[in-house]
Amino acid sequence: MTEPDESRSGRIDGIVITPPRGLGTVDLAELWRFRELIGFLALRDVKVRYKQAALGVSWAVLQPLLTMVVFSVLFGFLMGAEGKPTVEGVPYAVSTFCALVPWQLFATALSFSGNSIVQNQNLVTKVYFPRLVLPIAPIIAALVDFGAAFAVLLLMMLAYGIVPGAAIALLPFFVVLALATALAVSLWLSALNALYRDVRYALPFLTQLWFFVTPCVYTTASVLGEAPPWAHWLYAANPMVGVVEGFRWALIGGPAPATGALLASSIAVVVLLVGGAIYFRRMERVFADWV
Amino acid sequence: MRPPIIRVEELSKRFTLGETRSGNLRESLVGAAAALLGRTRRQHAAPDELWALRDVSFEVAEGEVLGIIGANGAGKSTLLRILSRITTPTGGRAEIRGRVASLLEVGTGFHPELTGRENVRLNGAILGMGRREIAQRFDEIVDFAGIEAFLDTPVKRYSSGMRMRLAFAVAAHLEPEILIIDEVLAVGDVAFQQRCLGKMSEVAHSGRTVLFVSHNMAAVEGLCDRALLLDRGQVAARGDVRSVIAEYLARAAVGPTPDGPIARSADGGLEVTTIELVDRDDLPLGAVQSGRSFSLRLDLACAAPLRRIGIQLAVNDALGARVAVLSSAVAGAESDLQPGTHRVQCLVRELPLVPGAYTLELKVLAGSECLLFERRAAPLLVEGGDFFGTGRLPPEGWGGRCLLHQSWSIESAKSDAESPA
């Protein structure tokens, strides 16, 4: 659609506007020039999210904490205090909270990013900037909530005397994997959402289903212990399985995620991400007319 | 000679109406798959197609201040949106050599929960200013908006006027090579409007290229040297701002012209066949600018001689309230008519009406007997114009129906001057 002519030191000196043709391409250089806007929009999301909420950012901690308490009590009744699905040698509360923290990061990022184009339609119809900025900013903003919840997780580990091993060095990888998964799905959904509002209603439902097929309130071993290998592979197709089990491995000494499965889901995420970016870039041409 | 800073060639934009609503999800999934594969669905020449722009071509020289005018739906906003890269054209191309900032709305991206300070930064970033640029101009912006005291108050507690002032202040401090502006002057209180207009002409005269869309003809005439008239998606006129505005007024919707006579007397002996607005050169006008002189021209036909005929044209506003009456009897122009057709002309000097849509009510009297009456004989469309000769018009929000010529003087008493308070 537009070809920036950057003849002078990276600055746009001229543009040619023509009808869009072919596949969308992602102009990373332009996106980089708009990094400050991403920062400002993320900052706006963070500041606005808990304005006029008495508990403020505590919500970021309360949500996973209360979920953990509910399931702890539920599984306590169902399976008895000793039978709860947890990582060996770690209390259920810690094992579950450790999984809920990255899950919450993913779910928050997905919900804000998936609605980003619709939420910002006043911008989309009035100002030019690379539209990719919109789904990216809430992903960054979700990290703030994550930081608060993660601090509580560390305190909880401290209270139970759990010390992470060397695997903690790989924790950032799992954070990035969670964010990449959220962004990959959001690129598809936010673009689709601009055209079909069905997405807005489907999104919370999708997130809920995804939550139950991800081993947050239980562990992979507790459901797949005796299952054949293909079931493990199928299960690992969900990248959030790798993220959640990766967190448990890196922080509280859970079983190491299978490298092959992790690699497969990483590749799946990258494919989904690239495809999503191309789809998004293609659909953004009609955002302003259709949103 | 330098190449034009903006060159638009045969730019077209087609909208397919109703597609969003009518498409079902399955259909669109198939469509999306096809779209992803790079195959655009061929649109058959559907009846619900609309060409918002059709083969629009023009050039803008560096430093030119171009007004873009036209009736609602003429394609002005679509043109600005394409040049601002908000939406894409269906055909043609546009070349732009320079950094563009577009201001299609004041306060885009303002968030009510954020403070004034935060919104200035956010809005600046949205409009394309860098962090450093915003920091440099921050004080200037706050000063221009006059909201220092409320910098750390959430914008939702601002009055709408304050919000507008702050928003305009941010926008006014953009420094692009090309500025695209759509109808942003109608904001804020009068004092602030004057400052906005002042700032705008400062921008316009600083050598920057400006594209300016407005319905306020006085503002267009005051700011722009050249203008482009769009009519139903096509360029209808281009050139000197005055001649293009004249062309626009001539084309402005006259309303449906009935085939038969406008009004007829009860016995059929008298007909009024046309009522027209014409300018001094007898050229028909679709609308009149405030402050301009024009004539109302009526064609009558009568079958028998009529005595002491008086013609009354009442100007009613959109709500039906009487604003003024033009009467040949009052003006001392009662006359006798012989059978045949007659042309009646009434000159109105420096029309003192505020912009709006009025209707003309027609009455023809013979002495005191009413021969003919038509409540809505013809529309009278009044556009903003330079009534006061200052390039300024009272803003729409001011109310009022008429414009009065005025001259002001302020004298200070000696004692006051010697002891300033």
Side-chain angles (χ1 to χ4, degrees):
Chain A
M1 81 181 213
T2 48
E3 308 142 20
D5 155 27
E6 294 167 65
S7 45
R8 240 194 292 155
S9 67
R11 213 181 124 212
I12 302 183
D13 268 324
I15 47 169
V16 176
I17 298 168
T18 53
R21 277 184 233 295
L23 288 173
T25 52
V26 179
D27 185 348
L28 288 175
E30 186 185 34
L31 208 53
W32 179 246
R33 276 198 302 277
F34 279 84
R35 61 190 182 280
E36 284 181 3
L37 181 58
I38 298 180
F40 273 115
L41 288 174
L43 199 65
R44 176 196 70 175
D45 285 353
V46 169
K47 280 181 172 163
V48 165
R49 191 168 306 164
Y50 299 113
K51 277 269 164 93
Q52 241 178 34
L55 294 180
V57 78
S58 324
W59 279 111
V61 177
L62 276 174
Q63 286 175 50
L65 205 61
L66 292 175
T67 312
M68 179 268 285
V69 169
V70 167
F71 280 96
S72 186
V73 172
L74 183 69
F75 284 145
F77 276 120
L78 282 176
M79 305 168 175
E82 297 310 308
K84 289 186 208 170
T86 176
V87 172
E88 225 185 302
V90 179
Y92 177 80
V94 182
S95 159
T96 299
F97 196 71
C98 179
L100 284 170
V101 167
W103 171 261
Q104 200 69 34
L105 168 67
F106 168 74
T108 308
L110 180 60
S111 108
F112 282 89
S113 183
N115 285 314
S116 57
I117 303 298
V118 174
Q119 289 277 301
N120 292 292
Q121 49 180 291
N122 58 331
L123 295 185
V124 172
T125 55
K126 299 289 184 210
V127 199
Y128 172 78
F129 52 83
R131 303 310 187 203
L132 278 169
V133 161
L134 291 174
I136 292 175
I139 303 267
I140 311 279
L143 279 170
V144 175
D145 278 14
F146 171 74
F150 189 70
V152 173
L153 174 63
L154 291 181
L155 287 177
M156 197 185 273
M157 286 165 58
L158 197 68
Y160 282 98
I162 300 166
V163 180
I168 195 172
L170 280 173
L171 195 69
F173 167 76
F174 295 108
V175 174
V176 170
L177 184 60
L179 294 179
T181 310
L183 182 61
V185 178
S186 297
L187 287 177
W188 291 91
L189 292 186
S190 60
L192 210 52
N193 204 354
L195 273 50
Y196 303 99
R197 292 298 191 278
D198 310 55
V199 174
R200 177 188 289 199
Y201 306 107
L203 193 55
F205 183 61
L206 173 80
T207 313
Q208 196 179 29
L209 287 186
W210 202 328
F211 173 74
F212 286 116
V213 300
T214 302
C216 297
V217 295
Y218 53 89
T219 60
T220 307
S222 67
V223 287
L224 286 183
E226 307 296 313
W230 63 263
H232 282 270
W233 278 94
L234 187 67
Y235 198 58
N238 169 8
M240 287 309 291
V241 172
V243 170
V244 161
E245 292 297 359
F247 256 71
R248 287 197 176 117
W249 170 62
L251 289 172
I252 59 174
T259 321
L262 207 52
L263 199 65
S265 61
S266 303
I267 291 171
V269 168
V270 170
V271 170
L272 202 62
L273 193 61
V274 171
I278 292 171
Y279 176 68
F280 185 93
R281 287 282 293 168
R282 182 159 183 98
M283 297 318 286
E284 73 174 15
R285 300 162 185 167
V286 296
F287 281 171
D289 300 334
W290 277 29
V291 72
Chain B
M1 208 188 124
R2 305 190 62 175
I5 194 161
I6 299 175
R7 176 185 287 147
V8 175
E9 285 163 8
E10 289 169 12
L11 205 63
S12 297
K13 172 82 179 177
R14 180 187 54 205
F15 286 105
T16 316
L17 305 173
E19 198 178 312
T20 327
R21 311 282 176 292
S22 63
N24 67 42
L25 197 60
R26 188 179 59 84
E27 202 178 295
S28 53
L29 284 179
V30 173
L36 191 64
L37 293 172
R39 282 186 217 124
T40 26
R41 272 176 297 168
R42 283 277 147 253
Q43 306 283 345
H44 305 290
D48 52 2
E49 255 184 22
L50 176 82
W51 287 91
L53 285 180
R54 193 99 203 224
D55 297 333
V56 168
S57 304
F58 63 93
E59 291 181 351
V60 183
E62 205 173 324
E64 189 175 329
V65 182
L66 179 74
I68 298 175
I69 57 178
N72 286 327
K76 304 180 301 272
S77 298
T78 304
L79 178 60
L80 292 198
R81 278 152 62 103
I82 291 173
L83 295 180
S84 312
R85 294 204 284 162
I86 291 162
T87 183
T88 54
T90 313
R93 63 189 263 129
E95 274 173 53
I96 300 176
R97 295 167 210 285
R99 203 162 83 122
V100 179
S102 55
L103 207 50
L104 304 194
E105 180 190 67
V106 167
T108 302
F110 259 43
H111 199 289
E113 295 285 353
L114 297 179
T115 66
R117 186 190 301 277
E118 289 163 344
N119 266 312
V120 168
R121 294 194 179 134
L122 176 65
N123 198 227
I126 287 172
L127 293 176
M129 283 194 227
R131 191 186 295 265
R132 216 167 299 145
E133 220 175 331
I134 299 169
Q136 271 169 16
R137 310 221 176 102
F138 188 81
D139 292 336
E140 225 178 302
I141 290 170
V142 172
D143 196 47
F144 187 82
I147 53 121
E148 291 89 337
F150 307 98
L151 257 188
D152 295 305
T153 309
V155 160
K156 65 177 173 181
R157 309 220 189 285
Y158 282 28
S159 71
S160 55
M162 282 162 66
R163 207 173 309 170
M164 284 300 174
R165 290 209 305 265
L166 185 60
F168 186 86
V170 178
H173 289 82
L174 282 171
E175 281 185 354
E177 282 124 23
I178 302 166
L179 189 61
I180 297 181
I181 309 169
D182 190 2
E183 295 277 16
V184 286
L185 287 175
V187 302
D189 54 39
V190 180
F192 190 74
Q193 271 202 358
Q194 300 297 0
R195 285 168 72 193
C196 292
L197 265 170
K199 185 80 192 172
M200 299 265 309
S201 64
E202 194 186 306
V203 169
H205 294 119
S206 66
R208 230 163 295 162
T209 308
V210 182
L211 300 191
F212 178 55
V213 162
S214 177
H215 280 117
N216 180 344
M217 293 299 144
V220 172
E221 210 173 320
L223 282 175
C224 308
D225 356 289
R226 297 168 70 76
L228 180 75
L229 171 64
L230 287 179
D231 188 10
R232 271 159 282 166
Q234 291 176 310
V235 177
R238 159 109 175 90
D240 166 68
V241 67
R242 271 166 217 281
S243 63
V244 175
I245 288 178
E247 175 70 21
Y248 168 62
L249 294 178
R251 279 169 180 255
V254 189
T257 31
D259 288 334
I262 288 169
R264 182 181 283 164
S265 63
D267 61 5
L270 175 70
E271 276 181 0
V272 175
T273 50
T274 55
I275 299 182
E276 264 187 317
L277 307 177
V278 292
D279 68 8
R280 282 186 206 174
D281 305 318
D282 247 18
L283 298 171
L285 292 170
V288 191
Q289 274 183 283
S290 300
R292 288 289 165 87
S293 303
F294 69 101
S295 290
L296 284 159
R297 194 162 70 189
L298 284 77
D299 287 320
L300 328 166
C302 57
L306 293 167
R307 284 183 41 84
R308 290 183 58 213
I309 288 297
I311 296 164
Q312 257 186 35
L313 280 164
V315 180
N316 294 335
D317 70 10
L319 300 172
R322 180 75 38 97
V323 179
V325 179
L326 303 166
S327 160
S328 63
V330 171
E334 260 183 323
S335 55
D336 299 341
L337 296 182
Q338 295 305 312
T341 59
H342 305 272
R343 174 158 285 189
V344 181
Q345 199 136 329
C346 168
L347 173 70
V348 179
R349 285 184 204 86
E350 297 180 26
L351 180 70
L353 293 181
V354 300
Y358 299 84
T359 53
L360 294 173
E361 182 181 310
L362 172 70
K363 206 185 253 186
V364 180
L365 302 149
S368 59
E369 184 198 354
C370 178
L371 293 179
L372 178 154
F373 173 77
E374 179 55 53
R375 180 116 177 85
R376 296 171 159 274
L380 173 65
L381 213 59
V382 179
E383 299 272 354
D386 195 5
F387 179 82
F388 301 108
T390 57
R392 290 172 189 171
L393 257 190
E396 270 167 48
W398 257 12
R401 299 224 174 118
C402 66
L403 303 164
L404 300 179
H405 277 298
Q406 49 201 292
S407 51
W408 293 70
S409 66
I410 298 173
E411 281 172 33
S412 306
K414 256 202 176 129
S415 54
D416 285 346
E418 280 166 8
S419 57

